[in-house]
Amino acid sequence: RGVAYLISEGPLVRIGKVEFIGNDRNFVADGRLKTLIQSKPGILKYFLRGQLDRTKVQDDKEKLTAYYRSFGYFRARVDRELEYSDDGRWVTLRFVIDEGPRYVVRDVSVIGNEKFKKDTLESRLKMKSGDFFNVGRMNRDRGKLLDIYGGYGHVYADIKSETRFSETPGQLDVVFKIVEGAQYRIGKINVHIAGEMPHTRQSVILKRLSLNPGDIVDVRELRASERRLKSSQLFVNNPANGRPPEIRVRPLVESVANRRGRRGPSSRGQSPDGRGPQGPPREMVVDIFVTSKA
């Protein structure tokens, strides 16, 4: 007719010490690894926080494993040991690390590029053949490629990075797959000024832009223009007081008849290849949002 559960909670277990075993301290010191984990001894003589949480310990194992793999230790394994004190109230948490071999980059390449030459793009990459793999450097190279394409109007270029393990143990290839997308030029610039009875003129804002209607969109210049607006001291930067300066871009939607009837300026003369493989540039709308202080 009923079930009774008898619970013996046992003592509250706190972490007295955290240790790392098996890690190469020439690569990463214990202090750095401790910053990656949540499981740590308490403070104020261990009586504030520091309770043992097995869920956090499992998360810490995964974080440490991901950290090693981000630096090319793709076979790294992390386990944990719990050593309890005699009274069962304190535990030494020990992470046992098997780093394994560190992978070296055999080759770095780009595929899917049409607007830029392969050699031009690969020369701009920091990761080179013979380097140890580093996911942070790979992501920075991907950002560099996005800036290159974004600087020539390919605002929606899609670039993915892949690692391909070779037959040779300890080596891999890094491949950047590029989908260039259409090229865009600036069609309209809309200025939206908020605030109580703002007196700021649109011309004041437009003077701080480095792009004009008809120009090929350069995402780097858009970011620089936004920084100039924020540093001008004319507009609210605190979100609590209003909308900080922001620049957004969106494709200009036109009817099919208008697109067929409008020839527009040619994109010839735009470095490096002029016309892209998908015809003349399409147009974008630039929306500028600010909150005036006056």
Side-chain angles (χ1 to χ4, degrees), residues 112-155:
N113 54 297
E114 295 182 29
K115 188 177 184 66
F116 295 90
K117 294 182 179 180
K118 179 182 176 71
D119 294 343
T120 300
L121 295 177
E122 292 180 354
S123 66
R124 303 291 295 275
L125 303 178
K126 296 297 184 182
M127 186 176 291
K128 304 295 183 182
S129 174
D131 293 346
F132 286 117
F133 176 80
N134 185 310
V135 70
R137 189 175 300 173
M138 181 178 70
N139 290 337
R140 287 192 290 271
D141 281 344
R142 176 178 173 273
K144 174 73 73 174
L145 294 174
L146 285 171
D147 274 351
I148 292 174
Y149 275 94
Y152 288 96
H154 294 270
V155 180

Side-chain angles (χ1 to χ4, degrees), residues 22-211:
N23 56 305
D24 180 2
R25 289 171 177 79
N26 292 323
F27 167 66
V28 57
D30 290 3
R32 171 58 179 151
L33 295 179
K34 288 180 180 179
T35 64
L36 302 174
I37 62 176
Q38 303 177 72
S39 303
K40 299 177 182 180
I43 56 178
L44 295 178
K45 296 185 179 180
Y46 305 113
F47 290 108
L48 182 61
R49 294 181 297 188
Q51 295 92 338
L52 176 64
D53 185 331
R54 293 177 182 270
T55 301
K56 288 184 178 180
V57 172
Q58 181 62 33
D59 291 342
D60 291 338
K61 285 176 52 180
E62 295 174 2
K63 288 181 181 178
L64 292 172
T65 302
Y67 176 80
Y68 271 95
R69 291 181 179 175
S70 70
F71 285 95
Y73 292 95
F74 288 99
R75 296 184 181 179
R77 295 183 300 173
V78 179
D79 205 348
R80 61 103 178 114
E81 294 178 354
L82 300 175
E83 183 179 327
Y84 292 88
S85 62
D86 292 339
D87 60 5
R89 296 180 180 275
W90 299 94
V91 65
T92 296
L93 174 58
R94 189 173 295 115
F95 290 100
V96 182
I97 301 171
D98 179 9
E99 295 177 343
R102 190 175 185 184
Y103 277 67
V104 174
V105 176
R106 183 181 67 174
D107 182 54
V108 182
S109 60
V110 296
I111 59 175
N113 54 297
E114 295 182 29
K115 188 177 184 66
F116 295 90
K117 294 182 179 180
K118 179 182 176 71
D119 294 343
T120 300
L121 295 177
E122 292 180 354
S123 66
R124 303 291 295 275
L125 303 178
K126 296 297 184 182
M127 186 176 291
K128 304 295 183 182
S129 174
D131 293 346
F132 286 117
F133 176 80
N134 185 310
V135 70
R137 189 175 300 173
M138 181 178 70
N139 290 337
R140 287 192 290 271
D141 281 344
R142 176 178 173 273
K144 174 73 73 174
L145 294 174
L146 285 171
D147 274 351
I148 292 174
Y149 275 94
Y152 288 96
H154 294 270
V155 180
Y156 300 113
D158 183 25
I159 301 177
K160 292 182 172 62
S161 54
E162 292 184 357
T163 53
R164 300 177 180 179
F165 295 93
S166 68
E167 301 82 4
T168 305
Q171 294 187 0
L172 57 80
D173 298 330
V174 177
V175 181
F176 294 95
K177 299 176 66 176
I178 300 173
V179 179
E180 295 179 339
Q183 187 184 43
Y184 288 87
R185 69 168 65 250
I186 296 177
K188 295 181 180 179
I189 298 179
N190 299 326
V191 179
H192 309 271
I193 305 176
E196 296 183 3
M197 302 179 63
H199 300 292
T200 305
R201 295 178 179 272
Q202 290 193 11
S203 58
V204 175
I205 298 172
L206 296 176
K207 286 179 180 179
R208 286 168 170 78
L209 301 183
S210 50
L211 291 171

Side-chain angles (χ1 to χ4, degrees), residues 203-242:
S203 58
V204 175
I205 298 172
L206 296 176
K207 286 179 180 179
R208 286 168 170 78
L209 301 183
S210 50
L211 291 171
N212 299 295
D215 292 348
I216 294 295
V217 178
D218 187 335
V219 296
R220 298 166 298 186
E221 292 299 329
L222 288 175
R223 290 198 295 264
S225 297
E226 187 175 272
R227 287 195 298 269
R228 284 194 290 271
L229 290 174
K230 290 181 178 179
S231 62
S232 66
Q233 305 299 320
L234 296 173
F235 311 105
V236 171
N237 277 318
N238 186 352
N241 299 328

